[in-house]
Amino acid sequence: MIGGRAGAIVGIVGVGGLGSPVTLALAKAGVGTLVLIDDDVVDRTNLHRQILFREADVGRHKLEAARDAIARVSPRTVVEIQREHLHPGNAGLLSEVDVIVECSDRYAVKFLAADAAQLLRKPLVVGAAIRFIGTALSTGPEGHPCYRCVFEDLPEGAQQRCDVSGVVGPVCGVIGAVQASFVLRILDGRPSYGTLASFDGRAGTLRHRPISARASCPLCGTHPTIDRIEPTRYVSDPCPQ
Ligand SMILES: [Zn+2]
């Protein structure tokens, strides 16, 4: 049972285009503790969508810059930083949080976070954005439906990458805001589990639709085959975000 916003510990995987607005929104909304997981540095070319950072932060480790930014806007928020990417060897970090928010730019990390959330019985909010399109999904600790009910498995072959394909900054802002609202609904006891939000930045449309559990889902289905974090299942490849 999660004890409201002030007593909550929220883990944010990836503090980039999506993680920036999520982090700011949750800190200012009164979430007690944020656990930030990232191993990257602030890059000038990403500043347009990574709204947590300023020009003066370029070259700094993202999490140190993020901690300073949160201290400026919400000094009472407790910030814990993990200066590493989420990978199968450290996924146990997620056992310490009440809600997992996945904001990274790698498909493999999204599936790893989804599998870990299911195995740990944690609520999960996953976001993705590329070019003008973004999605956000909220799933519950019971895991029916789950992330794999919708996205199944890592895509094969050539994949879109945000550093090649690009992502429009405001699309990250919209999806990050939706992710933060999903988290706050969980903490406030009014979750939107099983809801997929999709935003089309060209048309300016945001849609929410319920998703269904698949009986054949390998993670939450009738006969699940994923019952532990197996490192070979998560190839560290490209990206949405
Ligand atoms: Zn499933």
Side-chain angles (χ1 to χ4, degrees), residues 47-129:
L47 285 179
H48 71 102
R49 65 174 184 269
Q50 298 184 359
I51 60 173
L52 200 53
F53 309 121
R54 309 181 295 186
E55 187 78 21
D57 294 321
V58 171
R60 296 182 69 197
H61 195 282
K62 274 183 181 175
L63 297 192
E64 290 168 1
R67 186 164 51 191
D68 291 348
I70 295 167
R72 286 193 296 272
V73 300
S74 181
R76 290 202 297 182
T77 305
V78 176
V79 180
E80 297 177 12
I81 61 175
Q82 299 288 342
R83 294 175 48 153
E84 49 190 341
H85 269 311
L86 186 72
H87 56 78
N90 68 5
L93 287 171
L94 301 176
S95 65
E96 308 299 322
V97 308
D98 298 312
V99 182
I100 300 165
V101 194
E102 206 293 326
C103 303
S104 84
D105 59 358
R106 299 182 190 195
Y107 286 114
V109 176
K110 294 184 186 301
F111 281 93
L112 171 59
D115 292 352
Q118 175 79 6
L119 297 172
L120 293 166
R121 297 287 184 262
K122 303 279 185 183
L124 170 73
V125 176
V126 184

Side-chain angles (χ1 to χ4, degrees), residues 121-143:
R121 297 287 184 262
K122 303 279 185 183
L124 170 73
V125 176
V126 184
I130 196 155
R131 296 194 180 120
F132 292 94
I133 304 295
T135 60
L137 174 65
S138 172
T139 60
E142 75 292 343

Side-chain angles (χ1 to χ4, degrees), residues 118 143-150 212-214 216-221:
Q118 175 79 6
H144 300 282
C146 77
Y147 183 77
R148 285 186 183 267
C149 287
V150 182
S212 302
R214 285 189 299 123
S216 60
C217 176
L219 188 58
C220 78

